[in-house]
Amino acid sequence: MSLLDIALALGLLVSLGVIFWLLARRPAPPVPAPAPAPPWHDDLDAAGQPLFQAAAAALDAGLVAVDLARRVRFVSDHAAQMLAIAEDSVGLGLITLLRDHQADALVAEVLRDGEPREMTMHPISSGRTLRLRCSALPGPGALLIIRDVTQISMLERSRRDLVANVSHELRTPLASLKLLVETVQSEPPPDVTRRMLGQMAQEIDAVTQLVDELHDLAQIESGRVTLKLAPLLIGPVVDRALERIRPQAERKGLRTCAEISGGEAAVLMDPDRVGQVLLNLLHNAVKFTSEGGEVRVQAKLIAEDAGQSGPWLQVSVCDTGVGIPSQDLPRIFERFYKVDRARTRLAGGTGLGLAIAKHLVEGHGGRLWADSVEGHGSTFSFTLPVA
Ligand code: ADP
């Protein structure tokens, strides 16, 4: 080996050493950091994070997150309230939380095919109507969004009831009108025709009363009736109402009377509307009291009414009539409620009078209620604020 070869080999070794040294000094290429897992991807613990909790608290809906086994992983405070859950429910099965097999099955289906679904549920524990929407999460679980629709469904039911009641109330007089017209068309003897015409007039009055009262109720409930309040004495209003009811009472052989104490105190009232309330109560008293009975109007001053300090004037209409069964008593102020439909049909009436009267009394700031013992008469009382 020549000297030149040795020199070349040494040079090569030195160069290789320098290259290795340089390579060794270069910083190692950075190890890529693991990509942050999407919050719902690996597990549902993101539900416990403060931001998520703050967002859930700001929503007007309740949130519940479940895993693939339908175990509860998160319940927002709102959802806990709506479902009436007392203790911490994380870790429980969804069925234990909702106590509703249909809802549990719906979540299972969403977890299976990923399609969002909705349903309405009525948890017995809270007595509310809840709308539940369930969507799959992009990962192992599902999110339930729960809205309280109790108010909306009550309004819907009341609208449906109103339509059903109005058509029911109209059907009866219209059916009997049709029958009466057909009978008159068959040219019966003159006295029968006269009687039928009288009955037709009565049926027309019933329909007219229904339409008038419905209109009244709609006006009052929509706040379109403004009370013309003034400090006035109750005496003349009671006298006028009794005067108007007297012919009907006399026809049935009923005694009528008024006992007014505290009548010197002026009350803040709209006399036409208070007169309407009184007339309605008197009308019912006469209608549901049989011959020989009595209808009495009483008025007295009271210091407080149902915990509200007064003074108040309490006006009562008492009768010695059929009375109202105790189970019906809390419901008679509802629209269209009648204790005994067959009996009321004979006596006439729409079932709207007391609902209207209650609105009118409450519009004055007072209260209307009834006391009765079945078979022993009824007393309807209302309060008005002393001016
Ligand atoms: P209506 O037009 O049918 O009289 P109301 O709303 O005035 O409607 O009364 C509702 C129901 O309450 C009546 O149908 C009747 O069953 C009952 N009621 C009201 N007042 C009396 C009363 N003085 N005595 C017995 N029952 C009554």
Side-chain angles (χ1 to χ4, degrees), residues 280 284-285 287-288 319 322-324 332 337-340 343-344 349-355 378 380:
N280 181 275
N284 281 345
K287 199 161 61 175
F288 296 107
D319 65 58
V322 292
I324 301 164
I332 53 170
Y337 194 81
K338 296 174 188 174
V339 171
D340 176 348
R343 185 183 76 184
T344 319
T350 60
L352 291 174
L354 287 177
S378 313
F380 284 80

Side-chain angles (χ1 to χ4, degrees), residues 10-328:
L10 273 174
L12 190 66
L13 273 174
V14 170
S15 317
L16 278 173
V18 169
I19 289 167
F20 277 121
W21 182 73
L22 282 174
L23 278 178
R25 275 194 40 173
R26 262 199 16 215
V31 178
W40 299 98
H41 197 77
D42 291 318
D43 59 32
L44 298 174
D45 288 343
Q49 290 175 6
L51 179 62
F52 183 86
Q53 292 199 344
L59 282 177
D60 66 344
L63 294 186
V64 174
V66 292
D67 61 18
L68 277 179
R70 302 202 298 290
R71 261 194 320 273
V72 176
R73 303 297 299 266
F74 174 76
V75 180
S76 72
D77 289 348
H78 217 118
Q81 262 173 30
M82 283 191 242
L83 296 165
I85 307 163
E87 71 256 29
D88 184 17
S89 25
V90 170
L92 294 180
L94 184 64
I95 186 71
T96 317
L97 189 79
L98 300 181
R99 289 182 216 105
D100 186 314
H101 282 282
Q102 246 181 309
D104 188 52
L106 176 124
V107 176
E109 281 174 41
V110 172
L111 285 169
R112 190 165 37 77
D113 63 14
E115 283 297 312
R117 286 179 175 80
E118 287 194 21
M119 67 169 280
T120 302
M121 52 181 274
H122 306 273
I124 304 164
S125 48
S126 69
R128 303 186 204 212
T129 306
L130 303 179
R131 189 83 190 140
L132 189 138
R133 183 181 163 79
C134 179
S135 323
L137 291 166
L143 184 69
L144 283 80
I145 302 174
I146 306 170
R147 285 179 195 285
D148 190 341
V149 292
T150 313
Q151 198 82 18
I152 298 169
S153 63
M154 269 165 60
L155 286 174
E156 270 175 13
R157 192 172 333 132
S158 126
R159 188 186 54 79
R160 273 199 307 271
D161 285 356
L162 180 71
V163 174
N165 280 318
V166 171
S167 36
H168 174 86
E169 291 297 325
L170 284 174
R171 202 173 299 129
T172 320
L174 287 179
S176 54
L177 268 175
K178 186 162 167 50
L179 215 67
L180 290 163
V181 168
E182 281 169 4
T183 316
V184 172
Q185 276 173 337
S186 68
E187 297 179 5
D191 59 322
V192 176
T193 306
R194 214 173 308 116
R195 189 159 42 84
M196 301 264 146
L197 287 174
Q199 286 174 0
M200 283 159 81
Q202 270 178 20
E203 296 296 356
I204 291 169
D205 285 350
V207 177
T208 311
Q209 188 192 350
L210 175 67
V211 173
D212 286 350
E213 290 191 350
L214 271 174
H215 177 73
D216 240 18
L217 198 61
Q219 295 279 98
I220 294 168
E221 286 186 345
S222 63
R224 267 175 284 165
V225 170
T226 40
L227 297 175
K228 299 182 193 84
L229 297 178
L232 294 164
L233 301 180
I234 196 73
V237 182
V238 171
D239 290 344
R240 226 171 347 209
L242 275 174
E243 205 51 51
R244 287 184 65 186
I245 204 71
R246 197 153 289 135
Q248 284 175 48
E250 279 172 1
R251 220 175 303 146
K252 280 187 86 174
L254 303 178
R255 292 184 304 283
T256 55
C257 63
E259 288 169 4
I260 299 188
S261 68
E264 67 288 345
V267 284
L268 209 53
M269 66 170 156
D270 180 330
D272 291 341
R273 294 306 188 171
V274 171
Q276 184 182 350
V277 171
L278 262 173
L279 200 61
N280 181 275
L281 299 180
L282 284 168
H283 205 269
N284 281 345
V286 168
K287 199 161 61 175
F288 296 107
T289 304
S290 44
E291 282 195 20
E294 186 181 85
V295 174
R296 176 181 310 172
V297 182
Q298 293 174 323
K300 62 177 181 190
L301 284 175
I302 54 171
E304 70 167 69
D305 176 30
Q308 296 249 62
S309 57
W312 299 88
L313 186 75
Q314 179 179 323
V315 184
S316 303
V317 175
C318 323
D319 65 58
T320 55
V322 292
I324 301 164
S326 54
Q327 72 270 17
D328 293 297

